[in-house]
Amino acid sequence: MTSFGGSGRLENTFSIPGSESQQALDRLKTDFPTFSGTSAQVVFTTSGGREVTGPAEASAIRAALTAARSAPQVAGVSSPFDARTVSVDRTTAVAQVLYEVPQSGLESDALDALKSAVASADRDGMQVHVGGAAFGNAPSQSNSDLLGVAVALVILALTFGSLLAAGMPIVTAVFGVATAIFGVLSLAGTFSISSTALSLALMIGLAVGIDYALFIVSRHRFQLAHGVEPEESAALAVGTAGGAVVFAGLTVVIAMAGLTVVGIPYLTAMGLSAAGAVLIAVLVAVTLLPAILGFAGQRLIPKPGSRALRRERAVGGSGSQSAAAAKAVNAAEWWFRLVTGRPLLTVLLVTVALGALAWPARDMRLALPDNGTAPASSSQRIAYDRVSAELGPGFNGPLLVLADTSRSADPAEAARQVAADIRALPDVAAVGTPLGNTAAHTTLIRVVPDSPPSDKATKTLVNTIRDHREAIRGTTDAVIQVTGSTAVSIDIAAKLNSALVPFAVVVIGLSLVLLLLVFRSVVIPLKAAVGFLLSIAATLGAVVGVFQLGHVMGLVGMDAAGPVSSFLPIILLAVLFGLAMDYEVFLVSRMREAYMGGGSSLEAVHSGARHSGRVVTAAALIMVSVFAAFFTSENTMLKQIAFSLAVGVLLDAFAVRMTFVPAVLALTRSASWWLPGRLGRWLPDLDIEGSRLEHAHAERRLTAGTPSSGAGERDDAVSAPAST
């Protein structure tokens, strides 16, 4: 648990209202309150030929457990000698410490107090390590955002050639994300919000905040370089690039808010927190940023003779497509000319490469994170590995079977029969002595699987027990339910798996509709959807390769492979969809504008690269750097989310939007912009890039005798003080 201001709490508890495991957990709170919360393990290990059952060692263990019973919030302690959780070679004993509250309900010093209470047994010849579910899903705390901001500042400085211009997106993004984080924390006392949701809001809010400001500042600087007055340019930049920012941002907001339909509170909090951060980033970009641009005035105009001025004027130039045909004016256009030179080969190479990267995703295994992937030096990881080696991997994730024996003629005998029936099932390592509540006519049975908590065999065992319940009921009249942290994890994975395909269909369908409205084309939305699917599949394949299969996992600070977080695929779908639409809109809208202005289809593709390629490249690199900075987090779920978003943006921006997209448009030529006449009459013309506004502005300037933006130059336009 993390508190804020003495009132709000950041919850890190997983639950699925209405699921079998959650219903049983709710009943445990009344029938077996001691077992209704989280638990910790105290692992005692001897060395040097000593045994935990020796007189001195056993006495030290009992004294430590007596002290543990007095630790804050402890509801009960199970002795390893009574529970028979001593290894065969008698070098390891595992005690269980029970709490009546979930992991998020523990006070900030509760686990440290437990460690201190049992430390008396840690002496020569015996070591003590504390772990268990109470340590799992630790709050995600790091200074990763500072590293991301520093890298973003460097990229912006290189992009603009001006520290003043580079600092504006940073300042507005930090202001926006600080506002969003404060808003999320202020609601933490009323709603269940996890520390991972807070980190996701910080990560995405910072990334899109910088990117959205970058798009607007870039348009503003372009206009300043072509003679537009600062105040007029700021308004025009918001009316053109700002319109695309609003559209792109609302797309991300809709996708993230759509996570609420899954029905998992933890995921709902993550989606709404991130959506709120993006919405605030949009509002800051179209309100605070223009005001700052107004204050900066002429100081943002590139210096006379500077590289920044030459670059902006080269991009705008005279507007002649043929003049630039012989030679690309920037690296983005050079790349587009390269990939459109052999478009079919480019499409095939990208498809094959992303398909190969996606191949490992076939075997993706989903589960909630546990201590098996915690840092190797941590107490909980050492305890987890020791328990797995000495007592069996299933002891790290026991199942709790709740049996209602109210209809049984002999409840005690029925409970013993239930335990015997479960013991006879495959993959069962041990079944504890039934614990009965005679007043409630319920019995709690602890079942230890042979396999680890996240293993497929454990999932099979849970399903087998549930499928076997009718046979058990037929012989005992007992109604059973399976719960515990492992069962909750399995139920969450099943819930998310069932929601993934419908959610993907909705997201892809939404992308088709939105892009059809924006570009008034049939090919553009279809091409975007195919590219999006390639990005998602390749990203999931990379996640499986690194985190599940363990390839180059050291690069992201992992020292043990494990399952992919159950929440990751659906979060990736929502976030990457919105971000992919950002780059699609900013890149292809320039192409459409050039095509509608009379250029050929291929010239329009090159024009899009000339005007937007550099900015889209910078925006993608900034977003990747912000996400990559969170690789240092010790929270496995956040680390996986950060990795998937960094890889997803990298692949989508460069392999799909900057390579696959221009190649497909070069193949389809003018058919890229085709729209059936009847459909065209029905669809509204959104003009999110403000093309009509820009043309009206150019006409007014021509009427007033002043060259228009991008159509002419004024020598005195750059005579004002230059930016720093």
Side-chain angles (χ1 to χ4, degrees):
M1 175 202 70
T2 301
S3 62
F4 171 70
S7 57
R9 292 174 182 265
L10 293 178
E11 303 280 348
N12 290 288
T13 302
F14 305 107
S15 65
I16 310 181
S19 66
E20 175 179 322
S21 56
Q22 189 61 45
Q23 289 175 351
L25 278 178
D26 293 340
R27 188 164 184 180
L28 285 180
K29 293 177 182 178
T30 57
D31 294 358
F32 300 94
T34 303
F35 295 88
S36 63
T38 189
S39 64
Q41 292 174 329
V42 183
V43 182
F44 302 91
T45 305
T46 56
S47 58
R50 302 187 182 188
E51 297 181 351
V52 293
T53 54
E57 288 74 17
S59 176
I61 291 174
R62 291 190 179 95
L65 296 182
T66 299
R69 290 185 178 91
S70 301
Q73 297 182 276
V74 171
V77 175
S78 173
S79 168
F81 307 117
D82 298 333
R84 298 180 182 178
T85 50
V86 177
S87 63
V88 175
D89 61 3
R90 298 181 182 180
T91 60
T92 302
V94 181
Q96 189 176 25
V97 179
L98 304 172
Y99 296 89
E100 293 185 6
V101 296
Q103 191 265 346
S104 59
L106 294 175
E107 298 296 337
S108 57
D109 60 345
L111 296 179
D112 288 336
L114 176 62
K115 288 182 179 180
S116 299
V118 299
S120 60
D122 197 336
R123 56 186 187 177
D124 290 342
M126 187 160 63
Q127 292 181 322
V128 181
H129 294 98
V130 183
F135 288 82
N137 194 31
S140 48
Q141 300 173 345
S142 70
N143 294 320
S144 306
D145 48 322
L146 299 179
L147 177 61
V149 168
V151 176
L153 182 61
V154 173
I155 295 172
L156 288 168
L158 294 174
T159 301
F160 290 127
S162 163
L163 287 177
L164 178 62
M168 288 185 175
I170 299 294
V171 170
T172 55
V174 170
F175 176 83
V177 80
T179 303
I181 294 302
F182 180 81
V184 172
L185 287 173
S186 66
L187 296 173
T190 306
F191 301 99
S192 177
I193 298 175
S194 68
S195 61
T196 305
L198 189 69
S199 297
L200 183 65
L202 171 63
M203 187 192 312
I204 294 178
L206 189 60
V208 301
I210 296 174
D211 274 12
Y212 292 164
L214 166 63
F215 291 132
I216 294 176
V217 173
S218 177
R219 178 64 70 94
H220 178 60
R221 291 255 295 177
F222 172 81
Q223 292 162 174
L224 290 177
H226 291 85
V228 183
E229 295 299 325
E231 291 185 5
E232 184 181 8
S233 176
L236 186 60
V238 174
T240 53
V245 164
V246 171
F247 171 83
L250 291 180
T251 301
V252 182
V253 169
I254 292 171
M256 296 305 300
L259 294 175
T260 59
V261 303
V262 179
I264 298 178
Y266 189 91
L267 187 61
T268 296
M270 293 179 72
L272 293 181
S273 298
V278 174
L279 183 60
I280 291 175
V282 171
L283 294 175
V284 169
V286 298
T287 56
L288 178 62
L289 179 60
I292 295 178
L293 295 179
F295 279 119
Q298 296 183 342
R299 285 175 293 177
L300 286 176
I301 300 175
K303 291 181 180 180
S306 66
R307 181 182 178 185
L309 180 63
R310 292 195 303 271
R311 184 173 55 208
E312 297 293 357
R313 287 186 169 179
V315 170
S318 63
S320 171
Q321 300 290 345
S322 60
K327 183 179 180 181
V329 300
N330 57 29
E333 185 180 355
W334 173 84
W335 176 253
F336 271 44
R337 290 181 183 277
L338 178 65
V339 300
T340 57
R342 294 178 178 271
L344 181 58
L345 178 61
T346 300
V347 170
L348 291 176
L349 286 176
V350 171
T351 303
V352 170
L354 293 183
L357 193 57
W359 187 253
R362 313 174 286 120
D363 301 319
M364 183 167 58
R365 183 162 49 91
L366 299 176
L368 293 180
D370 57 31
N371 292 327
T373 54
S377 59
S378 64
S379 176
Q380 59 265 38
R381 172 67 182 280
I382 295 173
Y384 183 97
D385 291 343
R386 189 68 183 176
V387 169
S388 295
E390 298 297 332
L391 297 178
F395 276 87
N396 281 307
L399 307 176
L400 297 178
V401 176
L402 183 65
D404 184 341
T405 57
S406 58
R407 298 182 181 180
S408 303
D410 186 345
E413 176 59 29
R416 285 191 291 271
Q417 185 61 47
V418 169
D421 288 347
I422 294 176
R423 189 178 293 110
L425 296 175
D427 199 45
V428 173
V431 176
T433 303
L435 177 65
N437 182 329
T438 55
H441 300 290
T442 54
T443 300
L444 185 64
I445 303 171
R446 187 170 181 264
V447 179
V448 179
D450 261 329
S451 47
S454 60
D455 196 84
K456 186 178 179 180
T458 303
K459 175 184 176 181
T460 301
L461 174 60
V462 171
N463 292 332
T464 300
I465 294 174
R466 289 171 174 173
D467 293 340
H468 198 61
R469 78 178 87 213
E470 290 302 321
I472 294 176
R473 183 173 183 174
T475 58
T476 65
D477 288 328
V479 179
I480 66 171
Q481 291 178 304
V482 184
T483 187
S485 59
T486 301
V488 169
S489 173
I490 291 170
D491 287 350
I492 286 179
K495 177 82 171 180
L496 291 169
N497 277 337
S498 64
L500 186 59
V501 172
F503 187 77
V505 170
V506 171
V507 165
I508 294 172
L510 180 62
S511 70
L512 292 173
V513 172
L514 291 176
L515 293 178
L516 181 65
L517 291 172
V518 172
F519 296 115
R520 300 176 64 81
S521 161
V522 174
V523 173
I524 298 295
L526 292 175
K527 171 265 306 168
V530 172
F532 176 63
L533 287 174
L534 286 173
S535 299
I536 286 290
T539 302
L540 290 176
V543 170
V544 170
V546 172
F547 291 95
Q548 184 176 311
L549 302 181
H551 302 316
V552 298
M553 60 183 177
L555 294 179
V556 293
M558 296 291 292
D559 48 42
V564 176
S565 170
S566 302
F567 293 99
L568 187 138
I570 201 164
I571 291 174
L572 179 65
L573 264 175
V575 177
L576 193 58
F577 160 70
L579 302 182
M581 293 305 101
D582 285 1
Y583 301 137
E584 183 78 14
V585 168
F586 283 105
L587 194 60
V588 179
S589 59
R590 280 290 194 171
M591 299 179 187
R592 182 176 184 270
E593 182 180 346
Y595 181 76
M596 295 303 174
S600 70
S601 57
L602 189 57
E603 288 172 344
V605 172
H606 297 161
S607 177
R610 186 160 55 250
H611 286 89
S612 300
R614 179 174 59 90
V615 178
V616 168
T617 299
L621 290 176
I622 289 170
M623 198 165 282
V624 169
S625 66
V626 171
F627 293 150
F630 283 82
F631 290 179
T632 59
S633 172
E634 292 188 359
N635 184 295
T636 303
M637 183 185 298
L638 182 62
K639 190 188 293 285
Q640 290 186 358
I641 291 174
F643 176 83
S644 66
L645 293 181
V647 172
V649 169
L650 189 68
L651 293 176
D652 192 84
F654 297 107
V656 175
R657 308 302 155 188
M658 298 287 287
T659 306
F660 181 81
V661 166
V664 171
L665 295 180
L667 277 176
T668 53
R669 299 282 176 164
S670 57
S672 303
W673 313 102
W674 172 77
L675 183 70
R678 179 176 296 181
L679 182 59
R681 289 190 293 272
W682 287 348
L683 294 179
D685 189 356
L686 299 181
D687 189 27
I688 63 168
E689 272 278 356
S691 298
R692 288 192 292 270
L693 174 63
E694 196 168 16
H695 292 156
H697 170 264
E699 290 176 1
R700 286 196 302 271
R701 290 176 62 84
L702 287 173
T703 302
T706 306
S708 63
S709 173
E713 303 171 3
R714 267 192 341 189
D715 292 338
D716 61 345
V718 292
S719 60
S723 58
T724 58

